[in-house]
């Protein structure tokens, strides 16, 4: 049984690998969102905050999202989306965001984003504007200000700030920031970034494909062979 588990784990690890995978992608429009005033290092902007709809024009690699529509969240508040087809690399979160002169996020911040995705469990893609806005704000706050504990997560202070939130968005945000800073909670380890030096980097979840009948048979035969050798 142990040998079979190892073989299956190897198949899943291969499917989720993000080595040189890429997409051609362009921004289409915003999904459910709120218009919110945000501030980064003192620079204030009025932004639409929430889901972002992109079109994948071409896809290369097992971990890259498939051709078609993809709803994302932004990992980089300082750059803009582009409606032109650009090449994005599939990257680990710790290699994002890609900004000239900027630093990528820490492993602690990447884990915090993984907790946000595990907690939301798809709710961030529902038609709830307050939750979508709160989810995006939580990601930006983690990227800009997370220092390993929930005490440092506060959109009223720090490098990243958000102003004039309605009560629904603020309530969701409070819960999400508590989740992000709780290192005892589950992490979704399939979250990756789509990075481009010059366009806004995005976050998506790698979909692990179900094994085909042939692949499952191969795994089963490999496991059976290992077990047979062990019995000898």
């Amino acid at each position: 049984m142990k040998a079979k588990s190892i073989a299956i784990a190897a198949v899943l690890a291969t499917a989720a690998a993000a080595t040189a995978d890429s997409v051609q992608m362009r921004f289409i429009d915003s999904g459910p969102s709120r218009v919110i005033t945000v501030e980064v290092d003192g620079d204030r902007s009025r932004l639409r905050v929430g889901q972002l709809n992109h079109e994948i024009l071409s896809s290369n690699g097992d971990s890259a999202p498939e051709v078609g529509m993809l709803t994302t969240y932004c990992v980089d508040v300082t750059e803009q989306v582009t409606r032109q087809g650009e090449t994005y690399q599939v990257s680990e979160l710790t290699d994002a965001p890609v900004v000239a002169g900027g630093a990528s996020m820490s492993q602690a911040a990447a884990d915090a984003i993984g907790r946000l995705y595990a907690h939301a469990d798809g709710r961030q893609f529902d038609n709830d504007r307050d939750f979508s806005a709160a989810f995006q704000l939580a990601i930006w706050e983690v990227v800009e200000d997370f220092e390993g504990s929930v005490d440092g997560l506060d959109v009223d202070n720090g490098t990243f700030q958000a102003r004039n939130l309605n009560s629904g968005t603020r309530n969701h945000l409070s819960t999400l920031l508590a989740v992000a800073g709780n290192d005892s909670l589950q992490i979704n380890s399939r979250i990756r970034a789509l990075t481009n030096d010059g366009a806004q980097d995005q976050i998506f979840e790698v979909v692990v494909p179900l094994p085909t009948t042939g692949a499952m048979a191969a795994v089963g035969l490999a496991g059976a062979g290992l077990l047979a050798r062990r019995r000898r």
Side-chain angles (χ1 to χ4, degrees):
M1 180 63 70
K2 182 178 179 181
K4 184 174 181 181
S5 298
I6 292 172
I8 292 173
V11 171
L12 294 178
T14 299
T19 56
D21 293 352
S22 63
V23 298
Q24 281 278 328
M25 184 175 78
R26 68 187 182 103
F27 173 70
I28 300 298
D29 58 19
S30 298
S33 53
R34 294 286 186 190
V35 176
I36 295 172
T37 299
V38 303
E39 187 174 309
V40 183
D41 275 333
D43 293 332
R44 185 172 297 185
S45 303
R46 189 84 167 154
L47 303 177
R48 183 164 292 281
V49 178
Q51 298 174 28
L52 298 172
N53 296 320
H54 289 82
E55 182 183 12
I56 306 297
L57 303 171
S58 65
S59 176
N60 175 49
D62 290 339
S63 66
E66 295 181 352
V67 170
M69 297 303 298
L70 178 70
T71 299
T72 68
Y73 281 87
C74 164
V75 71
D76 177 11
V77 68
T78 63
E79 292 188 316
Q80 296 183 350
V81 294
T82 174
R83 294 184 182 275
Q84 304 299 317
E86 296 283 353
T87 299
Y88 292 76
Q89 302 299 318
V90 178
S91 305
E92 298 293 335
L93 287 184
T94 49
D95 294 323
V98 176
V99 183
S104 299
M105 75 176 77
S106 65
Q107 185 62 57
D111 289 346
I113 290 175
R115 286 191 286 272
L116 290 175
Y117 273 81
H119 171 78
D121 194 26
R123 185 181 176 187
Q124 69 272 36
F125 302 117
D126 290 344
N127 192 32
D128 184 336
R129 294 193 295 166
D130 289 343
F131 191 87
S132 297
F135 194 80
Q136 179 62 87
L137 291 173
I139 291 172
W140 285 338
E141 173 64 12
V142 165
V143 171
E144 297 293 336
D145 286 331
F146 188 58
E147 297 178 353
S149 75
V150 69
D151 296 336
L153 295 175
D154 177 6
V155 298
D156 296 318
N157 300 283
T159 300
F160 175 80
Q161 299 179 28
R163 308 291 188 196
N164 303 320
L165 306 182
N166 66 25
S167 59
T169 299
R170 184 170 286 280
N171 289 339
H172 288 313
L173 180 58
S174 177
T175 299
L176 289 167
L177 292 180
V179 166
N182 187 342
D183 61 11
S184 68
L185 297 180
Q186 178 184 358
I187 295 173
N188 184 334
S189 60
R190 299 188 304 278
I191 306 307
R192 300 289 187 273
L194 293 170
T195 60
N196 176 288
D197 187 6
Q200 194 177 69
D201 299 344
Q202 304 296 321
I203 304 180
F204 77 107
E205 180 177 353
V206 173
V207 177
V208 179
L210 293 174
T212 63
T213 302
M216 292 179 69
V219 169
L221 289 172
L226 288 170
L227 287 173
R229 285 194 291 273
R230 288 183 64 190
R231 290 195 185 99
R232 293 194 195 104

